[in-house]
Amino acid sequence: MRKSRIAGMGYYVPENVVTNDDLSKMMDTSDEWIQERTGIKERRWVVPGEDTTSGMGVKAAKMALDRAGMQASDIDFIVFATLSPDYYFPGPGVQVQEALGIDTVGALDVRNQCSGFVYALSVADQFIKTGMYKNILVIGSELHSGGLDKTTRGRGVTVIFGDGAGAAVVTATDEDRGVLSTHLHSEGAHAKELALIGPATRRWVNEIIEENDENDISYFPYMNGSYVFKHAVRRFAEVIQEALVANSCTSEDIDLLVPHQANLRIAQFIQKSMRLREDQVYNNIMKYGNTTAASIPIALCEAVEEGRVKEGDLICLAAFGSGFTWASALIRW
Ligand code: ACO
């Protein structure tokens, strides 16, 4: 049966490094607090005006195309995952089509936050399996830094997030490898526990301006951290197990788990609860923070570069985030 496989990966992070000490000059926080709770040492933030979500996505895509040995003209569909698009509409998929000079192929935008890349990969996998498309560009990119509350009021959220992009060229294959299965879930009852409420159609920007309420922070991301943490550890484990069972595998068979880089403590918790060795889990949140839809493709790309992913390896991707949504993918590399 026709399968999809990742033919090339790329990533891009802004050059501007923001350390925990840099943050402690903006708000009441400390390197010690951030490292202890999240494992994050530094993140990259775009210098205002110097890049965009689509622009970073294009840079990552160019690297992925190069590594896949393909031209932009080989791509017949684009899937772009982000929660921080350049515009409210249209989504950034069309900007990638234009920037790469690809013919008028379809461009789909996925809005599943931290699970966005796995959802996007699943979409690409289905289109390839049905034979509709052959080479699909899957991108996850986020520019969080411009929209964060960089005062003490926002510290519980702001210290976590970083900017960056990752991309994969997903291609059709008749070989006995590639994406084995994907598993997608959602539970909207918890939508407001991790959300950016406004401005949107329930509260337009002119209402916010008219109210002129200095205490209104609905346009900053809100996260009920400990609530999210508790759900995350449960759902991560469940969805990884679901992927393993669907493919008659056990956690011992996993060569590398690349979890969404939400918080190092969450990844360590999953590692222990699933009885995985440290070398079976890849983490780079220490350097980049949580880059949401970009975190899995950046991590997977670095893991490939470091030789942690070899042909024939069993790779598990797993994510959890706002929605709540959660997802996994099992790949025979
Ligand atoms: N620096 C110093 N102190 C802080 C900071 C900070 N940056 N942030 C919060 N605090 C304080 C709080 O005010 C609180 O003080 P108090 O006890 O005097 O009230 C104390 O530290 C503890 O705050 P908590 O929010 O309870 O801290 P917690 O231990 O839960 O850690 C964290 C917070 C790191 C956010 C954690 O809850 C977490 O990682 N949650 C999950 C995040 C996640 O997985 N998100 C999903 C992906 S994101 C997405 O989908 C978009």
Side-chain angles (χ1 to χ4, degrees), residues 27-30 33-34 37-38 83 113-114 144 155-157 159-161 194 223-229 232 260 262-263 266 290 292 320-322:
M27 61 189 81
D28 182 11
T29 190
S30 65
W33 192 97
I34 299 170
R37 305 284 175 125
T38 70
L83 66 66
Q113 298 66 251
C114 297
H144 285 300
R155 65 184 180 175
V157 174
V159 302
I160 293 174
F161 291 105
L194 177 49
M223 177 168 72
N224 183 346
S226 55
Y227 188 89
V228 174
F229 196 106
H260 162 53
N263 180 326
I266 293 179
N290 177 342
T292 309
F320 175 90
S322 164

Side-chain angles (χ1 to χ4, degrees), residues 44 144 179 304:
R44 307 294 179 97
H144 285 300
V179 177
V304 172

Side-chain angles (χ1 to χ4, degrees), residues 79 108 110 112 114-126 179 181-187 235 238-240 242-243 246 296 317-320 324-330:
V79 191
L108 176 73
V110 165
N112 287 83
C114 297
S115 310
F117 184 80
V118 183
Y119 266 74
L121 179 67
S122 178
V123 170
D125 181 47
Q126 311 313 311
V179 177
S181 65
T182 55
H183 307 271
L184 314 178
H185 294 279
S186 70
E187 194 173 20
R235 297 306 193 182
E238 273 178 17
V239 83
I240 294 167
E242 185 181 357
I296 286 183
L317 311 180
F320 175 90
F324 294 151
T325 61
W326 61 103
S328 65
L330 207 60

Side-chain angles (χ1 to χ4, degrees), residues 78-92:
I78 299 162
V79 191
F80 200 122
T82 189
L83 66 66
S84 51
D86 300 11
Y87 309 134
Y88 188 93
F89 73 84

Side-chain angles (χ1 to χ4, degrees), residues 8-330:
M9 301 240 21
Y11 79 99
Y12 173 80
V13 288
E15 276 174 26
N16 182 37
V17 176
V18 178
T19 64
N20 295 342
D21 286 335
D22 292 332
L23 292 182
S24 64
K25 290 176 196 134
M26 303 173 199
M27 61 189 81
D28 182 11
T29 190
S30 65
D31 179 48
E32 192 190 3
W33 192 97
I34 299 170
Q35 284 211 51
E36 192 185 308
R37 305 284 175 125
T38 70
I40 300 167
K41 294 183 178 172
E42 57 188 41
R43 74 286 294 138
R44 307 294 179 97
W45 279 0
V46 166
V47 173
E50 288 198 353
D51 217 330
T52 58
T53 295
S54 67
M56 291 190 288
V58 167
K59 289 179 189 124
K62 284 182 177 166
M63 187 192 281
L65 281 165
D66 194 44
R67 290 179 173 177
M70 287 189 202
Q71 309 289 325
S73 55
D74 294 320
I75 295 299
D76 37 32
F77 195 59
I78 299 162
V79 191
F80 200 122
T82 189
L83 66 66
S84 51
D86 300 11
Y87 309 134
Y88 188 93
F89 73 84
V94 297
Q95 290 162 285
V96 173
Q97 178 273 330
E98 192 211 352
L100 291 179
I102 309 176
D103 197 14
T104 57
V105 299
L108 176 73
D109 296 289
V110 165
R111 296 208 41 181
N112 287 83
Q113 298 66 251
C114 297
S115 310
F117 184 80
V118 183
Y119 266 74
L121 179 67
S122 178
V123 170
D125 181 47
Q126 311 313 311
F127 272 131
I128 286 174
K129 276 183 183 148
T130 60
M132 184 149 169
Y133 298 121
K134 192 162 170 259
N135 299 316
I136 302 181
L137 190 52
V138 179
I139 300 172
S141 179
E142 303 286 0
L143 200 161
H144 285 300
S145 55
L148 297 170
D149 181 356
K150 298 186 185 105
T151 68
T152 298
R153 189 178 60 181
R155 65 184 180 175
V157 174
T158 300
V159 302
I160 293 174
F161 291 105
D163 301 336
V169 174
V170 184
T171 192
T173 181
D174 293 320
E175 294 170 76
D176 194 19
R177 63 177 174 137
V179 177
L180 302 179
S181 65
T182 55
H183 307 271
L184 314 178
H185 294 279
S186 70
E187 194 173 20
H190 310 295
K192 288 188 182 164
E193 303 298 341
L194 177 49
L196 198 159
I197 300 296
T201 54
R202 284 177 75 160
R203 196 148 169 273
W204 289 106
V205 71
N206 55 347
E207 291 174 45
I208 294 175
I209 293 169
E210 272 163 30
E211 283 166 23
N212 195 21
D213 177 359
E214 63 180 28
N215 296 315
D216 176 22
I217 48 166
S218 64
Y219 48 88
F220 287 125
Y222 166 77
M223 177 168 72
N224 183 346
S226 55
Y227 188 89
V228 174
F229 196 106
K230 279 179 209 136
H231 283 261
V233 290
R234 176 176 154 217
R235 297 306 193 182
F236 263 113
E238 273 178 17
V239 83
I240 294 167
Q241 194 58 33
E242 185 181 357
L244 292 172
V245 169
N247 294 281
S248 306
C249 296
T250 69
S251 56
E252 281 170 34
D253 298 320
I254 295 177
D255 290 296
L256 198 66
L257 168 68
V258 182
H260 162 53
Q261 301 293 294
N263 180 326
L264 189 62
R265 306 296 159 238
I266 293 179
Q268 289 167 335
F269 193 95
I270 302 159
Q271 182 203 319
K272 288 205 177 83
S273 71
M274 302 224 51
R275 297 171 197 273
L276 293 166
R277 299 182 310 275
E278 220 175 293
D279 64 284
Q280 283 177 290
V281 184
Y282 190 85
N283 289 302
N284 63 3
I285 190 170
M286 306 72 91
K287 296 190 288 180
Y288 303 131
N290 177 342
T291 57
T292 309
S295 93
I296 286 183
I298 293 174
L300 183 56
C301 188
E302 285 203 336
V304 172
E305 285 176 357
E306 290 167 21
R308 301 271 304 268
V309 178
K310 295 175 288 302
E311 202 173 312
D313 278 357
L314 190 67
I315 308 300
C316 185
L317 311 180
F320 175 90
S322 164
F324 294 151
T325 61
W326 61 103
S328 65
L330 207 60

